[in-house]
Amino acid sequence: MTDRRDSALPDSDEGRDETVEERADRRWIEVLQELRVLQTGTQILTGFLLALAFQPVFADLGAGQRGMYLVLVSLAALSAVIALAPVALHRIVFRRRVKPEVVYFGHVALIAALAAVSLLLAGVVAFVFDVIIGDGAAWVAGIALGAVILVLWVIVPTAIRRWGRNTQ
């Protein structure tokens, strides 16, 4: 029996010989692997941001740069909270036989975390360019990285997903 949560996930399981429980277990392992990759990069970026406030040159930042810094720290915290939400949910509902729901929540949370991380990455690059070169370079660098993220994280995967459907 397939419900909305099962069919809403991006990968097709046709041709796999697995039970609903086996599918949920496999998908949960995949969510955890993706979380590990996302969390490592986010932790490094968050550490960089947090350390910056305690550097002597931080006092030289303008009001706009300080505001941008606070937005970036907030985005870093938000992305970590979103990415860890599936783990917290799993701990709370452990042994409640709701693994497909946990997997679906993990899927949605990781997409939201990727969106937050994409903003964070573009923002950090723009921030660094602003501090080192100036406003104009910051906008160019932030928009350029945002475009690369859009192409590699959204457009290419969407095209591959569509192409894969057409070849089956």
Side-chain angles (χ1 to χ4, degrees), residues 28 31-32 34-40 42-43 75-89 105-117:
W28 179 242
V31 165
L32 289 177
E34 292 164 3
L35 172 63
R36 284 184 187 107
V37 170
L38 181 68
Q39 208 45 32
T40 300
T42 304
Q43 286 172 343
L75 266 174
L78 179 64
S79 66
V81 169
I82 294 170
L84 291 172
V87 176
L89 175 65
F105 178 78
H107 166 72
V108 172
L110 284 174
I111 288 173
L114 282 170
V117 168

Side-chain angles (χ1 to χ4, degrees), residues 2 17 19 25-26 37 44 96 98 107 111 116-117 152 157 166 168:
T2 301
D17 186 24
T19 66
D25 288 342
R26 175 180 55 82
V37 170
I44 292 168
R96 303 287 180 171
V98 292
H107 166 72
I111 288 173
V117 168
L152 294 178
N166 293 336
Q168 291 177 355

Side-chain angles (χ1 to χ4, degrees), residues 85-123:
V87 176
L89 175 65
H90 184 257
R91 282 297 90 212
I92 291 169
V93 300
F94 184 67
R95 291 185 157 178
R96 303 287 180 171
R97 299 193 164 277
V98 292
K99 178 103 31 116
E101 290 80 6
V102 171
V103 171
Y104 179 73
F105 178 78
H107 166 72
V108 172
L110 284 174
I111 288 173
L114 282 170
V117 168
S118 68
L119 293 173
L120 177 62
L121 288 170

